[in-house]
Amino acid sequence: MSVGSGILPLSLFSARGSPRGTSTTGRDSVPVPHDQDISGIPISERASVCRCFDVSKDHYHCPCDNCRGRPVSRRTAFRHAHPEKLAPKPRRTTQSNRQEPEHALSSSEEEIEFTEETIEPAEAEDGNDLESGDREAVDFSDDIDSHEESNEFGKRWSKVHEEILDALFELLELKNSRNLSVGCFDAILQWGKKLYSKNNPDTQAIFPETWTECQKLLNDLGFEECKEYFICLSDEHRNHYSVMQSPDAFCKYCNQPGSINYYYLGLRNRVVQWSSNRDKCRKMTSHWEKKSHWIMEDSQINWGINLKEELWDGVRFAELSYFWDPNKEWVLPVRCPTVACGTILSSADCLESPDADMEGIKRMTCPNCYACFNHKPTTVRGDPRNIAYIGHWDGWQPFQSPSHGCGAIEVSIATMCKRDRNHTSEVYVVGFVPTYKLPKRSSISLDPFLEPFVQEIENGFIEGIEVEYALPLQGFPSGPVTLRHMLLLWTGDHVAQCEVSKGIFCGKHGCRFCHLVGERSGHTTRYVYSNCLESAWKPHPSRHVEELIEPLSDLDQEERQSIKQTLAKDLGFKGTSILHRLYPLYGFDFTKDFVIDLQHGLPLNPVKHEFEALLNLMESTENSDVANEEDTGSRHVSQDISEQLDCIPWTSELAASRTPKCLNRMGFWKAEDWQKYAYPASEFILYDKLPDKAFSLWQCLCRMVELVFGDGRNGWTENMAKTFHKLALRHNILVEDVLGKEECRITVHNLIHVNECVHRFGCPDNYWCWVFERAVSGYVNTPTNKRNIECTYATKELQKEFLMMKRSSKQKEQLQEVCKTKMWAKTLEGAVQLVNSGLQYALVGALNKTSIDNTSLEALSQLFCQIPVDHWTTADVYTCRSVYKPVQKSKDDHVLYKAGDAALVEMADRDIAIEIRRIFLLIVKMEPVQVIEVDTYRKVALQQKVNADLVENYECSVFIVPSSIKRKLMLLPARERLPGCQKYLVIDYLRPFIVSDHRQVIVPYLPTENDMVLVQGTDSVPWQGRINGYDRAHNIVSVVFYVEDRNERGVWVRESRRTDRVHVDCIVGVARGNWIGHSFLAWRSAEE
């Protein structure tokens, strides 16, 4: 039953009919007032349907003065409320069946005891008590009138019931958000029932007062519990598992019941719920609004669409465009009909199979069980309402002790835009995994928990899911439709990705993207991945899933553990991922569709580990300088960095969440702390503490963090992807050179494959793990008895989603206090509305009347020359709290500017740093004028190491218009001792990405004899020369330089026979072209 009906289901009441825990018999009913109650319905018109413990049939508690709440039939209750409606009518009667006027029975009914036998059946509730043969010439007009009155009576009670449901939903949301215990929630329910039902006994009968009653109410409204599976992962069959649906079932391998309970939340019911909600449907079809980005064939070629902002901007979404394009027809895969097999045969297998005897029938052979069967290929068309998912797996600790681990398999909807998708409310748990019960070092430990999920994806892709779609969509009307779904990609940290893909974590072949080969790190079992310089110029060949299918199949069938470990070591995988079953469906590739998460892959791994290594390097250098004072240098470096970190003037936007504190708390820093420390803080702290080469290494990390968490949030171009790739190559080479090969971890190597993920799936914030990690805090904060917590988590998640879907359709947008003429709003939400309507900015906050001096009025008159000077003296002056202005590079990001904030403004065609003092709204002759009073700063020097301006205070009380603000700044007090007033370093953290061209990033060159290289000399254009030799000890190469031939354009000839010695760092690249002949006398450039 839908919530909108407003009628409480009868199953809310117990088996015998009354509300659970209440008594509504005539003896126990609360006396009804004689006039009316808070519902506004006259007492003579009010009655409520009920099913009591004492009476099993439907009845009403009549509120008239005579009955006083006694249970009577529906007709009797209506007759007592409207005696004039049922006056006796002349009837034709027979001798055998004589009917007395019905109103004459009322007095006798009041005198007898009401029993089940005295209740009129439902079929006789209309008052037509005659047999069918006696109903001749009966006048039903009064009965029709009574039916209309009854409908009006029902509408009034529907409204009351709907209000009760709304109140209960709000209480349930309060329980979930505040993590209330059952006892506390029951107390609130009883208090709410007492308050809501005061002077209204009818609502008291249906208002639940316990958590158990609320659970049954949710079930009646369509809520479904999670499905429980029983899993066997016994050591007796380490390569096999069993998933059973009953606790009485036994494992087919060891004949034992399942020892692990798994609560599976599923997807099918959720798809049905999502499709019934109009707002959800609108969000899930965001990709259709931008179909020009992926529906054309050009989107699959080379880089595809230039700016990759959303998931559908990647080439993978374009490759799967047939899934959503209604103009494309495609063949469905087929499942092997053998019950014990169920292998999926792809669409290509269907088309390529030989024809059978009958027309249109294919004779197919299962590659797994070799069963032959006939199949008629089924063709379908794409549908923009089909759904794609982002999968995620991660383990975590719900308690302080690490002995009780847990994990969650989750999905989010890939067809949503990232602005809607990156909320914890859009993270849907598939199942909670009790990781403490899993066998150690088993390659199949997660497979049984992913098995139901993979089966649902297979069934939903082939058979579809029948739904009632609530939203019409450009040629697709609302109503019944068959939707299909797929898994687009899988994300997680590196360890979690290895667990699902069955890759070997930090093994000899540790990369799933390429054929990387590692080497042992000393006497440990950990592998490192050195030779970064050689890998940068001679990349490892890419992996392909086709080349792994057969070796992995042999590995899965191998029973001997020693041989299996050897094969796994050489392959880099411990087995075939269960997600490979999706490969025949639509080509899910576990070597490419397991993406790199840059929440863990950048701040939590390279940034954290390399800063710790650089900190040890600084401490060791300091200790060597102060050898006589033991540990003095160590304390000095850490304290100095901590003090300077405390001086960072974090803006309100950055300080709204986590910010890095002193180094003593570095062990408690999270990913957000490391990200903000790397950029924008660390360069301004470390530039005078690190050696040049080490600082160059650190700057590579800072530039990558700036790109990913700054301009990259607005989309990646091909140039940005190449820039990141070259930064990663340079960074890896410097890591090995500065910190040693021990720091060449697999997460460092993964950085060079980020551009591949961007090319395939768009910018990294589409699939990083921030939103999934934030959802974990909601799970662990759920109050439990610490027993079977997975069941508690699963139930709460389903109830939260159910309530969210029921409540979302009832939520109304609140009206905001705004004035478009004044460009002012009382709240931030109102300011957002004004800016979305087309304004450049909006003042925010209460308006407080004030005054300004004559000097300021003169300055204003010069700023606004079109307004006469005498008009300013009569102007009304107000101040407000802040100015809302979107960041220019992204319309979705906003910044509030308030007093004390520093900003970059455009004045006289120059960019100037300012500090805001006050924000004014002036009403000049009924015309609003918005101005900001600021203090200005002027540039005195340039700090070249961090490319930041050094400024000092210049002018006070200067007026500007809000539209001149470009972006917010941070002014860090400079450490340099310069004459004059205090100097500040400008931290322009919202600037456009500083590296505008990927050719500005120089990757250290691997000298190879007879290569034609580009050498940076004194000219702006690099010179070209051939390498004639390499002195590895001094990092010097011998170069023979070439010049362009005067007679033939594009041909380069030797300048002279002289050989010059050049440092490797001067080589900025390799020329494109080829040698003419074999004597190296001439070179033809490929650019011509």
Side-chain angles (χ1 to χ4, degrees):
M1 181 175 293
S2 64
V3 179
S5 64
I7 304 296
L8 283 177
L10 291 178
S11 55
L12 173 61
F13 302 90
S14 63
R16 296 205 60 187
S18 69
R20 299 177 178 87
T22 62
S23 176
T24 56
T25 60
R27 294 182 297 274
D28 299 331
S29 298
V30 179
V32 182
H34 291 280
D35 48 0
Q36 65 180 25
D37 65 355
I38 59 175
S39 65
I41 304 176
I43 193 66
S44 60
E45 300 181 10
R46 197 178 71 248
S48 58
V49 66
C50 185
R51 301 187 68 186
C52 293
F53 285 105
D54 300 329
V55 183
S56 61
K57 296 185 179 181
D58 293 343
H59 60 276
Y60 283 73
H61 291 278
C62 181
C64 73
D65 295 337
N66 293 326
C67 293
R68 287 286 181 178
R70 291 178 57 194
V72 297
S73 66
R74 172 183 171 185
R75 177 166 179 81
T76 301
F78 187 82
R79 184 173 62 249
H80 290 182
H82 302 281
E84 72 283 356
K85 292 290 184 180
L86 294 175
K89 301 286 183 180
R91 299 176 181 235
R92 291 177 52 188
T93 60
T94 61
Q95 295 293 332
S96 61
N97 186 13
R98 192 155 182 111
Q99 182 74 25
E100 294 293 331
E102 292 179 349
H103 71 282
L105 297 176
S106 60
S107 60
S108 61
E109 286 177 353
E110 295 168 6
E111 297 173 357
I112 63 175
E113 183 179 359
F114 195 90
T115 63
E116 293 186 8
E117 289 74 20
T118 62
I119 298 179
E120 299 171 10
E123 292 79 8
E125 284 186 352
D126 291 336
N128 303 321
D129 301 329
L130 302 178
E131 297 291 336
S132 59
D134 298 327
R135 295 179 181 174
E136 298 180 9
V138 179
D139 185 5
F140 290 99
S141 59
D142 288 340
D143 288 335
I144 295 175
D145 294 339
S146 66
H147 182 66
E148 293 176 353
E149 293 288 340
S150 179
N151 285 342
E152 182 64 26
F153 171 78
K155 290 179 181 178
R156 295 178 182 178
W157 273 104
S158 295
K159 183 177 181 180
V160 175
H161 292 173
E162 189 172 354
E163 292 176 355
I164 293 176
L165 284 178
D166 289 341
L168 291 177
F169 285 158
E170 290 180 4
L171 286 177
L172 289 169
E173 288 181 352
L174 178 66
K175 178 183 183 299
N176 289 332
S177 62
R178 300 298 181 184
N179 293 321
L180 302 179
S181 64
V182 173
C184 181
F185 183 69
D186 287 348
I188 294 177
L189 270 180
Q190 293 167 9
W191 174 81
K193 178 177 181 178
K194 181 179 179 181
L195 181 65
Y196 194 86
S197 303
K198 187 177 181 180
N199 300 326
N200 191 357
D202 302 301
T203 58
Q204 186 177 13
I206 59 177
F207 200 106
E209 60 181 10
T210 65
W211 168 237
T212 303
E213 292 181 9
C214 285
Q215 285 181 306
K216 294 176 180 177
L217 170 61
L218 293 177
N219 294 336
D220 294 329
L221 293 175
F223 173 76
E224 295 187 11
E225 297 285 351
C226 55
K227 186 174 181 59
E228 185 176 8
Y229 289 98
F230 303 88
I231 294 173
C232 180
L233 281 169
S234 174
D235 289 338
E236 298 180 13
H237 44 87
R238 294 184 60 86
N239 294 335
H240 304 281
Y241 61 86
S242 289
V243 181
M244 296 153 282
Q245 301 186 18
S246 170
D248 301 326
F250 294 95
C251 173
K252 61 183 178 181
Y253 300 105
C254 63
N255 201 30
Q256 296 294 324
S259 59
I260 304 176
N261 297 60
Y262 178 47
Y263 300 94
Y264 180 69
L265 285 70
L267 293 174
R268 177 176 291 270
N269 294 333
R270 283 167 162 164
V271 172
V272 174
Q273 287 185 10
W274 298 338
S275 302
S276 63
N277 186 280
R278 291 179 63 89
D279 184 59
K280 194 75 169 183
C281 293
R282 178 188 59 79
K283 292 180 180 179
M284 291 193 302
T285 53
S286 298
H287 66 291
W288 189 242
E289 298 177 5
K290 302 290 185 181
K291 57 179 177 290
S292 60
H293 291 199
W294 53 268
I295 206 169
M296 306 299 293
E297 293 185 0
D298 294 344
S299 303
Q300 309 175 28
I301 302 173
N302 298 326
W303 177 254
I305 185 172
N306 182 48
L307 184 64
K308 298 190 180 301
E309 181 178 3
E310 299 284 352
L311 274 171
W312 47 80
D313 296 331
V315 295
R316 180 56 178 161
F317 205 95
E319 293 171 358
L320 297 170
S321 60
Y322 64 86
F323 189 65
W324 294 279
D325 188 356
N327 296 321
K328 292 182 180 178
E329 198 173 65
W330 46 284
V331 177
L332 285 175
V334 61
R335 189 190 299 273
C336 175
T338 305
V339 177
C341 180
T343 302
I344 302 295
L345 282 75
S346 67
S347 303
D349 294 333
C350 295
L351 297 176
E352 295 172 1
S353 297
D355 295 332
D357 297 336
M358 295 175 287
E359 183 179 358
I361 304 298
K362 296 287 186 177
R363 187 64 176 173
M364 306 192 66
T365 303
C366 176
N368 186 32
C369 66
Y370 301 103
C372 296
F373 59 95
N374 292 336
H375 171 68
K376 183 178 181 179
T378 304
T379 59
V380 295
R381 287 188 176 273
D383 194 320
R385 295 167 291 188
N386 288 340
I387 302 173
Y389 303 113
I390 300 172
H392 174 260
W393 154 255
D394 192 19
W396 31 269
Q397 302 296 331
F399 310 122
Q400 296 291 336
S401 172
S403 60
H404 193 131
C406 189
I409 301 171
E410 302 155 315
V411 297
S412 61
I413 302 175
T415 52
M416 282 186 177
C417 65
K418 61 184 179 183
R419 182 178 55 184
D420 294 330
R421 183 176 61 246
N422 288 337
H423 297 279
T424 54
S425 59
E426 296 298 338
V427 174
Y428 300 96
V429 180
V430 175
F432 290 99
V433 180
T435 54
Y436 67 99
K437 295 183 178 180
L438 303 185
K440 304 298 182 183
R441 304 180 68 86
S442 174
S443 62
I444 63 168
S445 58
L446 282 180
D447 286 2
F449 302 95
L450 289 167
E451 176 73 33
F453 171 72
V454 174
Q455 286 186 1
E456 270 204 296
I457 295 294
E458 292 174 341
N459 296 336
F461 189 89
I462 298 175
E463 302 165 7
I465 303 173
E466 299 291 336
V467 302
E468 283 285 337
Y469 212 76
L471 183 70
L473 180 70
Q474 295 180 3
F476 297 90
S478 58
V481 66
T482 300
L483 296 187
R484 306 182 191 277
H485 58 182
M486 66 161 58
L487 178 67
L488 183 65
L489 61 93
W490 195 272
T491 187
D493 59 50
H494 183 71
V495 177
Q497 296 288 68
C498 289
E499 291 174 345
V500 179
S501 66
K502 296 188 180 178
I504 297 179
F505 174 66
C506 295
K508 180 179 180 181
H509 298 271
C511 181
R512 60 181 177 273
F513 292 93
C514 67
H515 288 280
L516 175 70
V517 180
E519 58 179 319
R520 292 275 188 175
S521 174
H523 299 288
T524 66
T525 58
R526 187 171 69 92
Y527 280 81
V528 295
Y529 309 92
S530 55
N531 298 323
C532 296
L533 180 60
E534 184 176 351
S535 300
W537 293 95
K538 298 178 181 179
H540 299 285
S542 299
R543 283 182 181 264
H544 299 283
V545 66
E546 293 83 3
E547 67 186 24
L548 291 171
I549 292 176
E550 187 174 347
L552 288 177
S553 178
D554 296 338
L555 179 62
D556 292 334
Q557 297 174 9
E558 180 60 56
E559 296 289 341
R560 295 166 294 181
Q561 290 300 317
S562 59
I563 297 179
K564 188 169 186 175
Q565 289 178 1
T566 303
L567 294 175
K569 179 180 177 181
D570 294 335
L571 284 174
F573 291 91
K574 295 180 288 187
T576 305
S577 172
I578 191 173
L579 296 184
H580 181 64
R581 283 168 44 179
L582 305 179
Y583 181 72
L585 286 178
Y586 51 88
F588 184 88
D589 188 344
F590 63 85
T591 66
K592 296 181 176 64
D593 295 337
F594 279 80
V595 296
I596 297 173
D597 160 45
L598 288 186
Q599 179 205 0
H600 298 88
L602 198 54
L604 275 180
N605 283 290
V607 171
K608 177 182 178 181
H609 293 147
E610 290 169 28
F611 176 71
E612 292 173 347
L614 290 173
L615 184 61
N616 293 332
L617 178 65
M618 287 185 287
E619 291 172 350
S620 62
T621 304
E622 191 77 14
N623 286 334
S624 63
D625 295 338
V626 193
N628 296 328
E629 299 181 19
E630 187 176 356
D631 293 332
T632 301
S634 175
R635 289 194 302 270
H636 173 73
V637 171
S638 299
Q639 289 178 356
D640 189 23
I641 293 177
S642 297
E643 291 174 0
Q644 294 176 27
L645 187 58
D646 291 338
C647 294
I648 299 293
W650 302 105
T651 63
S652 56
E653 288 78 17
L654 294 176
S657 54
R658 300 183 63 96
T659 54
K661 305 300 181 183
C662 64
L663 294 190
N664 293 334
R665 303 285 298 173
M666 192 170 62
F668 298 94
W669 286 9
K670 304 296 184 183
E672 193 171 2
D673 297 294
W674 285 109
Q675 175 245 310
K676 292 178 181 177
Y677 177 74
Y679 183 80
S682 64
E683 290 178 275
F684 295 88
I685 298 175
L686 302 177
Y687 72 89
D688 58 351
K689 295 178 174 60
L690 287 172
D692 290 343
K693 203 164 190 177
F695 188 66
S696 179
L697 158 65
W698 185 253
Q699 280 191 309
C700 289
L701 269 180
C702 296
R703 296 290 75 74
M704 288 189 282
V705 173
E706 179 185 1
L707 177 56
V708 171
F709 296 93
D711 260 9
R713 298 293 303 275
N714 308 304
W716 285 47
T717 62
E718 186 176 9
N719 177 66
M720 295 169 69
K722 290 180 178 179
T723 299
F724 187 94
H725 182 63
K726 295 183 72 173
L727 283 170
L729 292 174
R730 176 178 174 83
H731 163 264
N732 293 2
I733 295 170
L734 292 176
V735 166
E736 185 176 5
D737 192 13
V738 176
L739 302 178
K741 65 179 183 180
E742 296 298 323
E743 291 298 324
C744 296
R745 309 167 186 264
I746 187 61
T747 51
V748 173
H749 168 80
N750 283 343
L751 293 175
I752 69 174
H753 296 295
V754 169
N755 65 318
E756 300 174 30
C757 296
V758 173
H759 175 244
R760 192 167 176 84
F761 296 110
C763 61
D765 60 347
N766 283 299
Y767 43 82
W768 61 24
C769 294
W770 290 95
V771 63
F772 297 106
E773 295 289 340
R774 287 197 299 267
V776 173
S777 62
Y779 311 148
V780 299
N781 289 332
T782 302
T784 67
N785 59 1
K786 298 188 178 182
R787 297 178 181 177
N788 200 17
I789 59 174
E790 293 78 21
C791 180
T792 304
Y793 292 160
T795 302
K796 179 190 174 182
E797 283 301 303
L798 283 179
Q799 290 174 353
K800 181 184 71 174
E801 294 170 16
F802 181 81
L803 292 174
M804 181 178 64
M805 297 303 298
K806 293 296 183 183
R807 294 282 295 168
S808 61
S809 60
K810 294 178 174 290
Q811 293 176 352
K812 298 181 180 179
E813 185 177 357
Q814 297 181 353
L815 296 177
Q816 303 294 335
E817 187 177 350
V818 299
C819 180
K820 194 168 184 179
T821 305
K822 296 180 181 179
M823 304 177 74
W824 168 85
K826 185 69 172 294
T827 62
L828 176 61
E829 291 76 12
V832 173
Q833 291 181 8
L834 289 177
V835 172
N836 291 339
S837 67
L839 299 183
Q840 289 185 353
Y841 60 88
L843 306 185
V844 185
L847 296 178
N848 301 312
K849 195 162 186 178
T850 185
S851 60
I852 55 178
D853 53 32
N854 294 330
T855 304
S856 299
L857 290 177
E858 292 178 2
L860 287 174
S861 63
Q862 295 177 5
L863 181 63
F864 298 92
C865 301
Q866 70 277 13
I867 301 177
V869 178
D870 57 336
H871 289 184
W872 293 101
T873 57
T874 59
D876 294 328
V877 183
Y878 301 89
T879 61
C880 67
R881 183 180 70 245
S882 54
V883 175
Y884 169 82
K885 194 172 187 292
V887 180
Q888 289 185 357
K889 63 182 181 181
S890 175
K891 63 180 180 180
D892 297 330
D893 295 335
H894 66 272
V895 174
L896 277 175
Y897 300 88
K898 59 182 184 299
D901 287 343
L904 187 71
V905 301
E906 186 177 359
M907 297 177 62
D909 298 329
R910 292 186 299 123
D911 290 342
I912 298 177
I914 58 97
E915 183 177 345
I916 297 175
R917 295 182 60 181
R918 288 186 295 177
I919 301 168
F920 292 102
L921 171 65
L922 297 91
I923 309 299
V924 184
K925 294 298 182 180
M926 304 302 293
E927 291 294 330
V929 177
Q930 302 85 15
V931 293
I932 303 177
E933 184 182 7
V934 301
D935 295 338
T936 63
Y937 293 81
R938 66 178 178 183
K939 178 179 175 180
V940 295
L942 176 67
Q943 175 50 256
Q944 295 190 3
K945 268 200 165 184
V946 292
N947 194 29
D949 291 337
L950 196 66
V951 299
E952 64 179 4
N953 196 279
Y954 180 56
E955 285 184 291
C956 298
S957 297
V958 177
F959 287 92
I960 63 170
V961 292
S963 59
S964 64
I965 298 178
K966 300 183 70 172
R967 52 185 177 268
K968 190 174 282 192
L969 303 173
M970 293 189 291
L971 297 179
L972 175 66
R975 299 194 297 271
E976 290 84 353
R977 298 298 182 182
L978 298 176
C981 59
Q982 174 68 56
K983 306 298 188 295
Y984 298 89
L985 280 172
V986 177
I987 305 179
D988 190 5
Y989 71 101
L990 292 176
R991 67 189 178 189
F993 188 52
I994 193 173
V995 184
S996 58
D997 192 338
H998 69 90
R999 287 170 290 192
Q1000 294 176 303
V1001 181
I1002 299 175
V1003 179
Y1005 173 65
L1006 174 66
T1008 304
E1009 194 171 354
N1010 295 324
D1011 272 359
M1012 179 68 87
V1013 296
L1014 304 176
V1015 180
Q1016 187 63 57
T1018 56
D1019 299 337
S1020 59
V1021 179
W1023 303 332
Q1024 292 197 23
R1026 176 175 64 88
I1027 293 181
N1028 199 30
Y1030 177 40
D1031 182 3
R1032 184 179 294 272
H1034 299 90
N1035 215 15
I1036 299 292
V1037 293
S1038 300
V1039 177
V1040 177
F1041 286 101
Y1042 286 66
V1043 294
E1044 192 170 13
D1045 192 353
R1046 298 179 180 179
N1047 300 323
E1048 188 174 358
R1049 184 179 177 84
V1051 175
W1052 297 73
V1053 296
R1054 194 161 55 183
E1055 182 181 28
S1056 66
R1057 294 182 179 273
R1058 188 184 64 182
T1059 300
D1060 294 283
R1061 292 172 58 83
V1062 177
H1063 196 277
V1064 170
D1065 290 345
C1066 296
I1067 300 176
V1068 297
V1070 178
R1072 296 168 53 192
N1074 57 281
W1075 292 107
I1076 301 175
H1078 301 284
S1079 58
F1080 306 109
L1081 295 176
W1083 165 271
R1084 185 179 300 278
S1085 175
E1087 298 175 354
E1088 297 296 332

